[in-house]
Amino acid sequence: MGKWLLGVSGGYEGEELTPCGHTFSEMELYNEATAVDDAEAVVKNIKEYWKNQGNQAEEENKKSGFLGFVLLSENNWDKDRFFRDLKEEWDISVDEVPKAKDQITVFSIDGVMATVGLIPQPIPDDEAVECAKTNYMWNEAVDTAKAHKAHLIVAVLGGNYKNDKSAYDLGKLHVKLVSACCRQAFATGVYANGTVYEPKIYRSFADMMNEGNLPLFNWVWIGMYEDKNGVSCYTIGMEVFGKNEMEVLNAKTKRSEVYNFMVNMIAYVLENDVTLKNGETIGFSPTDKHAITFGKGVAMTDINTLKIKY
């Protein structure tokens, strides 16, 4: 996907693309002595988030790696099954016997610390219910979110890994962990990227990795809305890769065309590790140009976003 999306700021040389993005900077090296403590600190912060119903979990996600939640219809999860499914589905084995504490399991995979843990209560303040309303692809999303009784925290810690691991490696590992959790008997939804996914759909998106593709639809949600001014859309999920969220505003065309345009924007940016900038243009050919501006978000007013003119 996205291979045909050409050109940033006149970056054409014949039919070839000259990328203008930057590579990720080196991250903190993996430290075996502190990794488990760091994992438990993340879980503690998430618990405090649910207790205080603030924004701490979202900030922890941006600072420490990848974070998602699997909704459960019952306050129960089978840790042994999780590790069996992880091995069966993705051929992933943990580096050592997991440590279990207060229903929280902390483990290492190829030098990367991760945690999966049971929180024996629904996500507070109807947060998952409200976010489920954004899923226009699943009619039962809201009712499913309303009915959940507990949830699993699934986190991959970005601050502690070997220097041969990238944000993309961590993101793929996180999707595999969540996908394995979706095979739990009581798993009913995945709360991530500002929406609630149907488990079977989340797993089908994850299967794209078996074909050598990035799990773009697991990583980034495309929100859409429409009014008298036209069709608009926005992304949620780009920030954890060090990219700005993107918006298309008031397009005078079909929803499907706007959606497909944004899919290819996401693919271009993430597959090529490109950083789009204010004042540049992007397009499908040397003669097709879409202006890029950067400023306060429209759908997400608390952040700055890239607006792509359509």
Side-chain angles (χ1 to χ4, degrees):
M1 275 186 301
K3 299 300 184 184
W4 53 271
L5 186 62
L6 302 176
V8 177
S9 190
Y12 296 92
E13 294 181 359
E15 294 299 320
E16 298 297 321
L17 169 67
T18 301
C20 67
H22 302 283
T23 57
F24 286 97
S25 59
E26 292 186 2
M27 311 282 282
E28 180 182 349
L29 298 181
Y30 173 71
N31 186 331
E32 181 73 36
T34 62
V36 171
D37 289 340
D38 289 344
E40 292 180 350
V42 170
V43 173
K44 180 180 178 181
N45 285 339
I46 295 169
K47 285 184 175 181
E48 286 298 315
Y49 161 72
W50 290 145
K51 179 179 178 181
N52 298 323
Q53 298 180 12
N55 296 315
Q56 194 166 354
E58 293 180 5
E59 292 304 313
E60 199 62 44
N61 182 20
K62 295 175 186 177
K63 294 176 183 178
S64 298
F66 290 81
L67 176 67
F69 306 93
V70 177
L71 308 184
L72 302 174
S73 60
E74 297 293 339
N75 180 28
N76 181 281
W77 80 295
D78 185 337
K79 289 191 285 289
D80 292 336
R81 175 176 177 174
F82 166 72
F83 288 107
R84 289 197 306 270
D85 288 342
L86 195 60
K87 176 65 176 178
E88 177 183 319
E89 187 171 11
W90 301 107
D91 194 26
I92 292 176
S93 300
V94 300
D95 292 347
E96 58 185 81
V97 177
K99 175 183 178 182
K101 182 179 180 181
D102 297 330
Q103 295 294 322
I104 302 297
T105 299
V106 180
F107 51 95
S108 174
I109 297 173
D110 192 24
V112 176
M113 294 306 300
T115 182
V116 177
L118 176 67
I119 302 298
Q121 65 185 56
I123 294 173
D125 202 26
D126 287 333
E127 181 173 321
V129 176
E130 290 302 310
C131 288
K133 295 177 182 178
T134 68
N135 192 338
Y136 44 86
M137 298 181 179
W138 186 24
N139 292 334
E140 291 76 31
V142 172
D143 289 340
T144 298
K146 286 180 179 179
H148 84 283
K149 297 179 181 178
H151 61 283
L152 295 175
I153 297 170
V154 186
V156 172
L157 308 185
N160 297 287
Y161 59 90
K162 298 175 182 178
N163 58 7
D164 62 346
K165 298 291 189 297
S166 70
Y168 292 81
D169 294 322
L170 296 181
K172 287 188 282 189
L173 175 58
H174 184 257
V175 170
K176 291 174 182 179
L177 298 180
V178 175
S179 179
C181 287
C182 287
R183 298 179 69 172
Q184 290 283 308
F186 301 109
T188 57
V190 176
Y191 172 36
N193 308 325
T195 196
V196 174
Y197 296 82
E198 186 176 6
K200 68 178 182 181
I201 298 300
Y202 188 94
R203 291 188 61 212
S204 70
F205 290 156
D207 283 342
M208 295 174 66
M209 289 185 286
N210 291 322
E211 301 173 1
N213 297 314
L214 295 178
L216 299 177
F217 297 101
N218 302 95
W219 285 348
V220 183
W221 175 252
I222 301 174
M224 301 199 71
Y225 58 99
E226 187 173 359
D227 58 24
K228 63 181 181 180
N229 297 314
V231 179
S232 302
C233 71
Y234 58 92
T235 66
I236 300 179
M238 301 291 288
E239 283 191 324
V240 74
F241 296 98
K243 311 298 183 183
N244 292 117
E245 304 296 348
M246 299 181 290
E247 294 185 273
V248 171
L249 301 175
N250 304 325
K252 308 298 185 183
T253 188
K254 298 177 182 178
R255 288 173 63 98
S256 59
E257 291 183 6
V258 176
Y259 180 85
N260 289 334
F261 177 79
M262 184 60 83
V263 166
N264 284 280
M265 289 293 301
I266 294 166
Y268 173 70
V269 169
L270 293 183
E271 288 178 355
N272 298 282
D273 194 12
V274 171
T275 297
L276 303 178
K277 297 178 182 178
N278 184 56
E280 295 177 334
T281 60
I282 190 167
F284 304 111
S285 71
T287 58
D288 178 37
K289 301 282 187 172
H290 300 265
I292 300 171
T293 58
F294 182 72
K296 185 177 180 181
V298 175
M300 298 168 288
T301 58
D302 57 334
I303 62 172
N304 290 326
T305 64
L306 294 164
K307 283 82 173 175
I308 317 296
K309 179 130 181 108
Y310 190 92

